[in-house]
Amino acid sequence: MSQLPDYVASAKPNPKENRAPWLTTTAATYAGVMLWFAFWQDLPGGGGAFAGGTLIQGLALAIGSLVLAALLCHFCCYLVPGLLGMKTGLGLSVVGTSTYGVSGGYFMPGFLMGALQFGWLSVNAYFSGLLLTSIFTGQEVPIVRDAGWLTSLGMMRSGLGVLWIVVATFVGMKGVKYVGMVASFTPILPIAVLLFVLVSTIGGMNKYNKEVLLTGPEKAKIAWEEKVKANPENIVIQETAKQAAGFAENAKPATLYGSETLGIISLICAYVFGFFATAGAAGVDFGSNNKDAKSVQMAGWVGIVLTTILTGTIALIAVVGVQWKLVETNPELLATYNVPSLFGVILGSGVAKVCMLLLCLAAFPSACFPTLVAANAFRTTFPKINPLVTCGIGVLAAIFLVISSAAGQAGAVFGVVGASFGPICGAMAADYILSGYKWAGPRAGFNPAGWISWFVGFLVGGTQLALSNFFGMSLPFEVPCPPVAAFVVGFVLYLILAKAGLESKKLDMPQRIDV
């Protein structure tokens, strides 16, 4: 293939004179991503059911692991895409053609980025619906979260989630420019909530008790059994008690190769890296607004590293700071590591509802953008199909994920994202280095080095997740921090395959620039 397809040939670089300061563009965008409550709310639990969550070995190890995860996000996922965007002025769909070829670029990362937008939309809708249901009913978040979709609470949660998707999609398609104006101010809301939570819990940091964390699931089980006795007709409480009993029976601290310390490091890095991987690849688009390499670096340090450490640390402190209080006041919450679930104990019921509402308001703008981003991606991938059709299918998929509660499995969702985009970021980084720290330019057809490295990286990062979630099986060995492992495989394998001559032919792109 010697001719560029239209989406590459017509691409126009963002000129230097149109670029804006990093603090108000790239840094602000990433700060908004990491301030989203869907990220930090489940960090103390690692997005899964583990006794003690990520705090079982103490606050210092958890925060240290969080710092490591933030640095991995900056250097592995974001920096190369950001520099490529800055140097070329082009978007991800075009820059990605050097790694996956001009034919392959239709699908990777173009189509994949578009498809995953509906996954993020479903996560946004699920957790926003969860908080709204808690606000309207006065029920604790754990009860609402565990309510089956056929129960009244489950139906309300699903209904609000579906309504959230419909309204966000409509606003995103019709009035996204107004949403963008509002979105520049909404990060103030989660900042205010987080600071309020920090002030309310920091005094309990010195009361960390590993024994409480270890015995929490069993004590929670007993407390829920007492609730069932007091409310024998309440189906939601009965179902929650069953789940609490199952957690108490199966809960054990996260380990890696038998080590709790390695288990915590791997768990936090996988959670944070998996959440961030898509946003990291999108750094190409964000970086195209930056003037120089220093701006790209500073945007990452402030918007990614600093914000991730800030939000994650406050979430960890909140759980540690309230655990001691739960023993006497709310033992049924002792196995709960979801921060908004503890708002009632930390802040009081009235203030808790206000804070939940503020978090929902802050989340709405980010729910409006996925459909627009997906429409642009699908318009390139399937130019002959009306985006309303492709996006309509995506919206239906998002609704299914909300109703089925699959969107609420934060750890699994982040694992899929990390397995998908970890090897993409790895291969792009390898391609960048081999090209002399610049964009190599578009390559013909399907670039074998890129596609093979992605496929193997995805298998490494996603196989265990698929086996455990769909077949109840496990690999005979443990993959350390699967999303990061997927990145490493993508990086190393691309280097090897490129050196072996498995890169496709470079194509000339007359309108390209290199800063």
Side-chain angles (χ1 to χ4, degrees), residues 129 132-134 136-137 149 151-161:
L132 289 173
T133 301
S134 180
F136 294 146
T137 64
W149 72 277
T151 64
S152 58
L153 284 177
M155 288 182 180
M156 178 179 285
R157 179 194 64 205
S158 297
L160 288 170

Side-chain angles (χ1 to χ4, degrees), residues 92-154:
L92 177 62
S93 60
V94 177
V95 170
T97 60
S98 67
T99 309
Y100 298 101
V102 292
S103 296
Y106 282 109
F107 307 101
M108 186 84 74
F111 172 77
L112 185 61
M113 178 66 81
L116 283 178
Q117 294 305 310
F118 295 104
W120 286 123
L121 175 60
S122 70
V123 171
N124 190 311
Y126 176 87
F127 285 111
S128 296
L130 193 68
L131 294 193
L132 289 173
T133 301
S134 180
I135 292 170
F136 294 146
T137 64
Q139 298 286 347
E140 296 107 325
V141 174
I143 298 180
V144 179
R145 190 170 189 172
D146 294 334
W149 72 277
L150 287 176
T151 64
S152 58
L153 284 177

